[in-house]
Amino acid sequence: MHVRARRDMTTATTPPAAKLLAALLLLSAAAPLCSGCPTAKQTAENNPRLQKAYVALQALKRAITDDPKNLTAGWCGPDVCSYFGVFCASAPDDPCAVTVAGVDLNHGNLAGGLPEELALLSDLAVLHLNSNRFGGTLPESLPKLGLLHELDVSNNRLAGGFPQHILCLPNVKYVDIRFNNFCGPVPPAIFDKKIDALFLNDNHFDFELPENFGNSPASVIVLANLQLKGCLPSSLGRMGATLNELIVLNSGVRSCIPPEIGHLGELTVLDLSFNQLQGTLPESMAWMRSLEQLDVAHNELAGHIPEGICALPRLMNFTYSYNYFCGEPRRCLDLRRNDDRQNCIAGRPDQRPADQCLAFLNRPPVHCDAHGCFAPPGHY
């Protein structure tokens, strides 16, 4: 069964993108900030930075083949700071110079491509182009945006392999490329970058979660609706101090849940549903004291639900339907939302037929190695 993540899927916390964009709006209203700066209005006619921005924005306008909301209709003349969706602020290296710090054309339904001239926006901190119809690939010149903090090109028609030039952005903290047509492997190096939020979901990526997955300092990682191979690496336990949300639903993961998952003490949302997980729920999950939402539905998990999981102080939603669990503590039924359908739990309604449960119990037991992967017989 294919599960499509919602295109408006958001996290439980305020995304860093919204915070930085709000700061840019304040800066754009206050620029220039230095009282000793010239008072003349700065445009592309008297400011070299804005002149480059003018070239970049005009190139983008020409590359747009359809603008049904006329968002760029007013992109004329040298006053680029008055263009719709363009936000200016004082330059980081010169408080008297106004520069383009943000471009936000989200939900514009714009069609076209992304020109190489975007690299002329050298002071850009925020590039938000989600929910449009941009095709092709990301510009090869992208690494020239050395100050870029947020890149959001989600929900477009971008294609090709993973945009490797993202790895060359020194200051990027928010990467959202979900709901596109990117394909192929994802480089392990992305998990070594100091990114706070990483959204790769709903593309055609086909790769194995690497051992350095646990090196990521991200607070949010979404890997839903991909074609993952291999296992949930035990290294994920190293993200205990930073990771708040991990969503790996419907991505083909075939492994046990490693006991190191219990080290994710700051995790609030964990969704591992619609995969091929086997074995039992680790007792160590009772250490995940911040967990609020847990979904492991539509897997092949079995055994008894550890009581410590349902005793977690913040857990409100626990979904473990469509597995082969044979027992659950009474405490689990007292949660605000609990879904135990289609298991093998005696006395509970809407469970699997007895012959399905018996056939599953007669299967050879599952053993996993130290990395969380299925161990060959005799090698555990």
Side-chain angles (χ1 to χ4, degrees):
M1 181 182 295
H2 181 70
V3 179
R4 190 71 170 169
R6 298 198 321 271
R7 286 185 179 262
D8 62 345
M9 181 171 56
T10 57
T11 61
T13 54
T14 302
K19 295 178 181 178
L20 186 52
L21 183 58
L24 281 175
L25 289 171
L26 290 174
L27 284 172
S28 65
L33 301 179
C34 180
S35 60
C37 297
T39 57
K41 184 178 180 64
Q42 298 187 35
T43 70
E45 294 179 323
N46 59 12
N47 180 324
R49 298 175 195 252
L50 297 183
Q51 172 61 38
K52 290 183 179 180
Y54 173 82
V55 174
L57 295 170
Q58 291 302 315
L60 177 57
K61 182 178 180 179
R62 289 192 302 271
I64 292 172
T65 58
D66 187 25
D67 183 357
K69 298 182 180 180
N70 291 321
L71 300 185
T72 63
W75 282 23
C76 300
D79 188 9
V80 296
C81 294
S82 68
Y83 289 7
F84 178 86
V86 176
F87 301 96
C88 292
S90 295
D93 59 339
D94 183 355
C96 288
V98 176
T99 192
V100 172
V103 174
D104 186 344
L105 295 173
N106 286 351
H107 304 283
N109 198 24
L110 299 165
L114 300 176
E116 296 293 332
E117 288 88 345
L118 287 177
L120 294 172
L121 299 170
S122 55
D123 295 320
L124 199 67
V126 171
L127 181 59
H128 288 178
L129 300 174
N130 80 49
S131 304
N132 287 291
R133 291 175 286 143
F134 287 114
T137 60
L138 291 179
E140 291 292 331
S141 60
L142 192 69
K144 293 182 180 180
L145 300 180
L147 299 181
L148 192 66
H149 277 69
E150 298 179 11
L151 175 66
D152 184 354
V153 292
S154 60
N155 196 12
N156 278 284
R157 299 175 181 178
L158 298 168
F162 180 89
Q164 298 273 352
H165 22 300
I166 290 177
L167 300 175
C168 301
L169 293 169
N171 291 298
V172 70
K173 294 293 184 292
Y174 182 95
V175 174
D176 191 347
I177 60 174
R178 57 186 158 170
F179 291 107
N180 278 290
N181 295 310
F182 294 117
C183 61
V186 170
I190 194 68
F191 300 111
D192 288 324
K193 282 190 70 67
K194 294 181 179 179
I195 293 174
D196 183 56
L198 182 61
F199 298 87
L200 303 179
N201 55 289
D202 294 273
N203 280 285
H204 304 295
F205 291 130
D206 183 353
F207 69 107
E208 183 173 338
L209 288 177
E211 184 57 30
N212 72 321
F213 179 68
N215 292 352
S216 175
S219 62
V220 179
I221 297 179
V222 182
L223 303 173
N225 298 319
L226 302 176
Q227 300 174 50
L228 297 181
K229 302 174 183 177
C231 322
L232 282 176
S234 58
S235 66
L236 61 81
R238 298 202 297 263
M239 296 187 281
T242 55
L243 191 61
N244 298 138
E245 301 184 17
L246 177 61
I247 299 176
V248 195
L249 74 90
N250 192 46
S251 289
V253 175
R254 188 172 183 271
S255 72
C256 300
I257 300 177
E260 289 82 2
I261 200 168
H263 295 301
L264 300 179
E266 299 298 318
L267 200 69
T268 61
V269 177
L270 176 61
D271 191 339
L272 302 175
S273 61
F274 290 91
N275 284 295
Q276 301 175 55
L277 298 174
Q278 297 185 33
T280 61
L281 290 180
E283 295 278 351
S284 63
M285 294 180 73
W287 307 339
M288 303 169 71
R289 308 291 289 176
S290 300
L291 201 60
E292 300 173 5
Q293 300 181 49
L294 173 59
D295 192 341
V296 294
H298 291 271
N299 281 289
E300 298 179 27
L301 297 165
H304 290 259
I305 303 289
E307 182 161 3
I309 294 178
C310 296
L312 289 170
R314 299 183 182 178
L315 189 64
M316 297 181 289
N317 183 349
F318 185 15
T319 303
Y320 47 99
S321 54
Y322 293 90
N323 280 287
Y324 293 90
F325 291 113
C326 60
E328 62 186 342
R330 174 66 195 179
R331 186 190 293 265
C332 295
L333 304 180
D334 296 331
L335 294 171
R336 180 179 299 181
R337 182 179 176 188
N338 160 278
D339 188 351
D340 65 358
R341 294 172 296 148
Q342 292 297 302
N343 279 286
C344 301
I345 304 173
R348 292 293 297 161
D350 195 12
Q351 298 295 297
R352 292 182 182 274
D355 58 339
Q356 283 189 20
C357 295
L358 185 60
F360 182 85
L361 291 174
N362 286 331
R363 288 166 51 174
V366 170
H367 297 278
C368 282
D369 60 21
H371 301 289
C373 301
F374 295 140
H379 291 78
Y380 45 84

